[in-house]
Amino acid sequence: SAAARDAAVTSPQEGNFAYLKDTNVTTYYTGSAWANLDTTGMTNPMTTTGDTIYSSSGSTPARLGIGSTGQVLTVAGGVPSWATASSGGMTVIASGNLTTGNNTTTLSSISTSYNDLVLVVRDFYASSNNYFQIRINGITTSSYGYTGINHSAVNTFSLMGEGASTSIYTTGTSLLNQDKDNFVQFVFQDYANTATDKTVTFNGVARADSDAFNKMSFGTGQCQTTSAITSISIITSDGTFSGGSYILYGVK
């Protein structure tokens, strides 16, 4: 007992240890008093791979369950928590293949919770000579204007090559350009606002079957609509798509 310890050890020294049988407690001498040695350790609160531990109420260990893919660690109410990044991130909101045998692939029900949209289309080719075109919200009137290597005001945004009658890519009959790493990117700025016309910047590179070098297109455009962009159609002006894939990103 503590009384037996004190009777037996009348001049304890700092660092002395003594075990008390009656209470099953190990004690040590601090230099001025006996103190109980904490032999219990910390109880592990974690249950799932990826969990973390934080201090709750000052000294109590608490479990923070692992967050979802793409979330970031932040602080809410004075304790750590997982949350969706408020800015700076790119999230894939749609992806897939262009609809083969069809001249149009439409991405619909686009979320308006982001700041910008980035549409990337790769390895596209079609069954006949054509322009690569983009239409927003199904608008088919002459509401589109764009400038770059070529200029037009038509019912889509179109990407063209260096000649007025030359499309950004031409397949011909042999479809060799499916191996030319065709690529195009559209960036729709502030696409969800409902007060101003919609703007886009674009760039692309592709090669026709008969060309020795890739054609490159770039520019900017505007569509006269104040509606938020909720659908984007990817179109070939002639023939049908024979291949290609797309990824649509939401940008915070």
Side-chain angles (χ1 to χ4, degrees), residues 5-237:
R5 176 200 63 200
D6 294 343
V9 186
T10 57
S11 181
Q13 301 298 307
E14 184 176 354
N16 284 170
F17 280 82
Y19 179 75
L20 309 182
K21 290 175 58 178
D22 60 341
T23 56
N24 296 320
V25 172
T26 299
T27 63
Y28 66 98
Y29 196 70
T30 65
S32 60
W34 290 96
N36 291 345
L37 178 67
D38 182 6
T39 58
T40 60
M42 182 184 71
T43 301
N44 185 1
M46 297 186 291
T47 62
T48 307
T49 300
D51 287 351
T52 56
I53 299 174
Y54 69 95
S55 177
S56 175
S57 302
S59 60
T60 304
R63 169 183 174 267
L64 175 62
I66 186 172
S68 302
T69 299
Q71 286 189 317
V72 296
L73 190 62
T74 185
V75 176
V79 296
S81 62
W82 293 101
T84 300
S86 60
S87 63
M90 292 181 65
T91 302
V92 176
I93 56 179
S95 62
N97 295 320
L98 300 180
T99 306
T100 58
N102 200 310
N103 70 340
T104 302
T105 298
T106 299
L107 316 183
S108 57
S109 301
I110 297 172
S111 170
T112 56
S113 62
Y114 298 92
N115 298 332
D116 302 325
L117 294 175
V118 175
L119 174 64
V120 175
V121 187
R122 296 180 181 275
D123 303 325
F124 49 83
Y125 62 107
S127 61
S128 61
N129 299 349
N130 52 75
Y131 294 105
F132 186 96
Q133 301 178 326
I134 292 290
R135 180 175 291 139
I136 64 174
N137 293 350
I139 297 173
T140 58
T141 58
S142 297
S143 300
Y144 302 84
Y146 59 91
T147 186
I149 293 178
N150 291 281
H151 169 74
S152 183
V154 289
N155 62 2
T156 56
F157 296 117
S158 296
L159 265 69
M160 295 178 284
E162 68 271 19
S165 62
T166 304
S167 64
I168 185 175
Y169 65 102
T170 311
T171 62
T173 57
S174 61
L175 301 180
L176 293 177
N177 80 329
Q178 62 184 291
D179 299 320
K180 304 304 182 186
D181 299 321
N182 297 333
F183 170 90
V184 63
Q185 173 180 271
F186 291 84
V187 180
F188 299 89
Q189 302 90 0
D190 195 21
Y191 75 102
N193 91 81
T194 56
T196 62
D197 289 347
K198 301 303 173 289
T199 58
V200 61
T201 57
F202 53 83
N203 61 85
V205 59
R207 191 189 306 183
D209 288 341
S210 58
D211 290 336
F213 302 99
N214 289 338
K215 292 185 174 72
M216 300 178 189
S217 293
F218 55 89
T220 186
Q222 182 182 44
C223 182
Q224 295 177 339
T225 177
T226 57
S227 298
I229 297 176
T230 57
S231 74
I232 299 174
S233 296
I234 304 169
I235 304 169
T236 175
S237 63

